Amino acid sequence: QIFSKAAAIQYAGDNIRVNSVHPGYVVTPLSRSRVGAPGGATEEELARGRVATTPMGREATPDEIAYGILYLASDESSYCTGADFAADGGVTAGKPRS
């Protein structure tokens, strides 16, 4: 985060935008790579543990993260630089749901 903010300040006058993306848990083949491995969790156990720490109560899809990145790469975010985009289901906002 510090590097992206420093770069954002350094290059803002050159109309170069620098932002950072901080995804939460995302359902991907890599995130499921331990499922079925010796000593690994089942898919349900893995998801249950991640969901328990996420206020929205679910994991993200890859598309949900990609749409945030698409926004930052588009002209619609032309005035955004030095921003930290957290697509984490509310984890950085506060406590998990109970």
Side-chain angles (χ1 to χ4, degrees):
Q1 289 176 338
I2 294 171
F3 178 77
S4 62
K5 289 187 183 306
I9 296 299
Q10 182 174 350
Y11 295 108
D14 298 325
N15 203 29
I16 296 172
R17 297 177 288 132
V18 180
N19 299 292
S20 60
V21 178
H22 307 272
Y25 293 117
V26 182
V27 179
T28 68
L30 181 60
S31 73
R32 297 298 192 250
S33 64
R34 294 282 303 157
V35 173
T42 66
E43 188 166 340
E44 293 79 24
E45 290 169 331
L46 193 64
R48 188 171 38 250
R50 291 174 175 177
V51 166
T53 63
T54 305
M56 288 189 77
R58 65 179 181 83
E59 296 171 282
T61 67
D63 282 350
E64 289 175 308
I65 306 304
Y67 288 133
I69 294 168
L70 179 63
Y71 166 73
L72 291 173
S74 73
D75 289 340
E76 281 76 15
S77 69
S78 62
Y79 201 60
C80 294
T81 194
D84 299 320
F85 180 72
D88 63 4
V91 171
T92 56
K95 293 183 178 184
R97 60 190 196 121
S98 40

